[in-house]
Amino acid sequence: MASRSNCFYCREELSGKKFVRKDEKQVCVRCFDKFCANTCMECRRPISTDSKELHHKGRYWHSDCFRCAKCYKNLAKESFTSKDDRILCGTCSSREDAPRCHGCYKPILAGTENVEYKGNSWHDECFICYQCQKPIGSKSFITKNNNIYCGPCHEKKFAKQCACCKKPITTGGVNYQDQPWHSECFMCSSCRKPLAGTRFTSHEEKVYCVDCYKSTVAKKCSGCQNPITGFGKATNVVNYEGGSWHDYCFNCKKCSLNLAEKRFVAHSGDIYCSDCSKKL
């Protein structure tokens, strides 16, 4: 087993000589430079024991090799930034590699007010509405066809127009017969009650709430004399010689057999089944 006073690699006696301790091993200077020294990222040569070494994020440089990738200024005693595995001085980082404004395509220097949206950057004064060309600033905005619009311009240009009041529909709304309406504009033609979210029906291109349809529009059943609304149980209707019945009211006058979708005989304004008509 080698003595602790010998170089780990060449076994040379180290007594009285300069050596380096590496991973708990004693290594002579020559072997350290050959086997252990870090490689400079710039010149690709070993960084010997007599050279000043700089390191950043697991990479190593000779002090003289630690330079800006753009202007080659030595950064051993200067502030710097790292970008895409390159070392840059403060000036080159802000001027040469600053993000480009998506509006004017000029650099956005560090400390400049700017806007970032979907991976692009703008000078604050370049982030403007496509329609009115005014800066968006801190206001809300909407994109359409890759263009940016302020709220008022987007409403004016793209928002649906209410079929009733002809004003833009900015939120919500009701769609009826392929036409958009403000919820508050879609109301009963009789009582003017809003119909959004409620049951309604139409008659002669007008819409009615259930109550108004029953009282002002719906036909009366010739059997029970109640309105035929078309809602719920009263969905199916029987029409005969100007009269209308709920299907469940269209019954034989004598035996009360339901005659909806069955053969029947009319006599003196009343309806009879085939069997009862023979006994008249």
Side-chain angles (χ1 to χ4, degrees), residues 110-210:
T112 304
E113 291 290 333
N114 65 90
V115 178
E116 293 185 3
Y117 178 68
K118 287 189 174 181
N120 293 318
S121 301
W122 288 260
H123 292 109
D124 203 39
E125 64 273 15
C126 294
F127 193 64
I128 60 176
C129 171
Y130 181 78
Q131 187 73 15
C132 67
Q133 298 295 298
K134 294 180 180 179
I136 299 293
S138 60
K139 296 179 292 185
S140 61
F141 62 90
I142 302 157
T143 58
K144 183 78 171 182
N145 300 328
N146 294 323
N147 295 319
I148 296 168
Y149 296 86
C150 63
C153 285
H154 184 270
E155 289 180 12
K156 184 177 180 180
K157 188 175 181 65
F158 298 108
K160 294 179 179 179
Q161 305 294 313
C162 176
C164 177
C165 69
K166 308 303 179 184
K167 295 180 180 179
I169 301 174
T170 57
T171 58
V174 176
N175 195 59
Y176 176 67
Q177 292 186 342
D178 296 327
Q179 289 187 315
W181 304 66
H182 288 113
S183 297
E184 61 273 20
C185 291
F186 189 66
M187 53 187 153
C188 175
S189 297
S190 180
C191 69
R192 315 306 291 173
K193 180 176 69 176
L195 298 177
T198 66
R199 293 196 306 172
F200 65 91
T201 189
S202 62
H203 179 70
E204 295 180 352
E205 299 185 356
K206 294 181 180 180
V207 290
Y208 296 88
C209 66
V210 174

Side-chain angles (χ1 to χ4, degrees), residues 1-270:
M1 184 174 181
S3 170
R4 292 181 60 85
S5 61
N6 290 64
C7 173
F8 178 80
Y9 292 100
C10 69
R11 306 294 191 268
E12 182 180 338
E13 174 67 39
L14 297 177
S15 179
K17 296 182 180 180
K18 185 178 179 181
F19 66 91
V20 179
R21 187 175 293 277
K22 176 72 173 178
D23 298 330
E24 302 300 324
K25 303 178 184 69
Q26 297 179 127
V27 183
C28 70
V29 172
R30 184 178 65 255
C31 288
F32 178 86
D33 293 345
K34 184 176 181 180
F35 299 112
C36 303
N38 293 312
T39 301
C40 176
M41 289 296 299
E42 181 65 24
C43 69
R44 302 299 176 181
R45 295 177 180 176
I47 304 175
S48 63
T49 56
D50 59 355
S51 298
K52 186 176 181 180
E53 179 182 88
L54 298 178
H55 64 89
H56 176 67
K57 292 184 177 181
R59 298 183 297 166
Y60 301 86
W61 290 262
H62 292 104
S63 176
D64 292 340
C65 293
F66 193 65
R67 299 176 178 276
C68 173
K70 286 284 185 180
C71 68
Y72 303 108
K73 176 183 178 181
N74 188 278
L75 301 177
K77 295 182 180 180
E78 303 285 343
S79 60
F80 64 91
T81 59
S82 176
K83 184 176 182 180
D84 299 329
D85 291 332
R86 297 178 302 161
I87 301 299
L88 301 171
C89 67
T91 302
C92 289
S93 176
S94 61
R95 292 183 178 178
E96 299 297 327
D97 289 330
R100 295 280 171 172
C101 175
H102 199 62
C104 69
Y105 303 105
K106 294 179 180 179
I108 301 176
L109 302 180
T112 304
E113 291 290 333
N114 65 90
V115 178
E116 293 185 3
Y117 178 68
K118 287 189 174 181
N120 293 318
S121 301
W122 288 260
H123 292 109
D124 203 39
E125 64 273 15
C126 294
F127 193 64
I128 60 176
C129 171
Y130 181 78
Q131 187 73 15
C132 67
Q133 298 295 298
K134 294 180 180 179
I136 299 293
S138 60
K139 296 179 292 185
S140 61
F141 62 90
I142 302 157
T143 58
K144 183 78 171 182
N145 300 328
N146 294 323
N147 295 319
I148 296 168
Y149 296 86
C150 63
C153 285
H154 184 270
E155 289 180 12
K156 184 177 180 180
K157 188 175 181 65
F158 298 108
K160 294 179 179 179
Q161 305 294 313
C162 176
C164 177
C165 69
K166 308 303 179 184
K167 295 180 180 179
I169 301 174
T170 57
T171 58
V174 176
N175 195 59
Y176 176 67
Q177 292 186 342
D178 296 327
Q179 289 187 315
W181 304 66
H182 288 113
S183 297
E184 61 273 20
C185 291
F186 189 66
M187 53 187 153
C188 175
S189 297
S190 180
C191 69
R192 315 306 291 173
K193 180 176 69 176
L195 298 177
T198 66
R199 293 196 306 172
F200 65 91
T201 189
S202 62
H203 179 70
E204 295 180 352
E205 299 185 356
K206 294 181 180 180
V207 290
Y208 296 88
C209 66
V210 174
D211 292 337
C212 288
Y213 182 78
K214 287 180 180 179
S215 61
T216 63
V217 180
K219 294 180 180 180
K220 300 296 188 292
C221 174
S222 298
C224 68
Q225 300 305 310
N226 290 321
I228 300 174
T229 62
F231 299 115
K233 185 180 176 182
T235 300
N236 297 320
V237 181
V238 177
N239 294 302
Y240 177 70
E241 292 189 352
S244 298
W245 289 258
H246 298 109
D247 64 343
Y248 53 82
C249 292
F250 195 64
N251 301 326
C252 174
K253 175 70 173 179
K254 192 168 186 178
C255 70
S256 298
L257 176 70
N258 187 265
L259 299 176
E261 300 184 2
K262 295 180 181 179
R263 296 182 63 183
F264 63 89
V265 176
H267 180 73
S268 300
D270 295 319

